[in-house]
């Protein structure tokens, strides 16, 4: 199994920046894709960004393109989400997730992912 622990969430003003980290442990060799999802109160969980563990191919939701950057450090078994130009609508609990399926394309649906972190709160004030 794989354990994922998010960190770096907090309160930030609109226009500010925040960097989230997700540390993976356990049987990390199972991981094929790492991703970030978010869920705001009363809304469904949505994909934010994803990256292949090997190769570096990435995916970004239209709502965050140009503002968020996902990256990885394989030596540290960690993925990051650099969030710039934050907006109040970015407020949500952000979850790290891992997928072990070697799919040709990066999967977007939350149901596709096998392992999840506990989430970290990101609040953007106006």
């Amino acid at each position: 199994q794989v354990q994922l622990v998010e960190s770096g969430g907090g309160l930030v003003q609109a226009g500010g920046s925040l960097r989230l980290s997700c540390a993976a442990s356990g049987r990390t060799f199972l991981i094929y894709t790492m991703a970030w999802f978010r869920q705001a109160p009363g809304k469904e969980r949505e994909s934010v960004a994803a990256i292949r563990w090997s190769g570096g191919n990435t995916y970004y939701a239209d709502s965050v393109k140009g503002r968020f950057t996902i990256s990885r450090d394989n030596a540290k078994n960690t993925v990051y989400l650099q969030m710039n130009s934050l907006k109040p609508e970015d407020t949500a609990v952000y979850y790290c997730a891992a997928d072990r399926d070697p799919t040709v394309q990066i999967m977007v649906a939350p149901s596709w992912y096998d392992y999840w972190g506990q989430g970290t709160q990101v609040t953007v004030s106006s």
Side-chain angles (χ1 to χ4, degrees):
Q1 61 181 33
V2 174
Q3 295 81 45
L4 304 174
V5 179
E6 304 97 333
S7 62
L11 175 65
V12 64
Q13 293 184 350
S17 299
L18 209 59
R19 188 177 77 158
L20 305 183
S21 298
C22 175
S25 61
R27 306 181 74 179
T28 57
F29 61 88
L30 295 173
I31 299 173
Y32 191 69
T33 305
M34 294 287 289
W36 288 96
F37 292 81
R38 67 186 182 187
Q39 187 166 23
K43 295 186 177 181
E44 295 184 353
R45 191 167 299 186
E46 64 175 348
S47 177
V48 176
I51 188 169
R52 296 293 197 196
W53 192 250
S54 299
N57 292 333
T58 58
Y59 159 85
Y60 294 97
D62 289 340
S63 60
V64 306
K65 284 182 179 178
R67 300 189 298 121
F68 291 10
T69 302
I70 188 170
S71 62
R72 55 169 164 76
D73 186 336
N74 288 11
K76 297 181 179 180
N77 290 322
T78 301
V79 295
Y80 306 93
L81 184 67
Q82 179 65 47
M83 305 185 293
N84 298 325
S85 302
L86 284 162
K87 305 175 181 179
E89 50 263 43
D90 293 318
T91 296
V93 176
Y94 283 70
Y95 296 91
C96 179
D99 174 27
R100 65 181 182 181
D101 299 310
T103 55
V104 174
Q105 299 183 68
I106 292 177
M107 299 294 103
V108 175
S111 61
W112 207 268
Y113 287 77
D114 304 292
Y115 310 102
W116 293 84
Q118 80 288 348
T120 185
Q121 177 70 47
V122 172
T123 302
V124 184
S125 64
S126 58

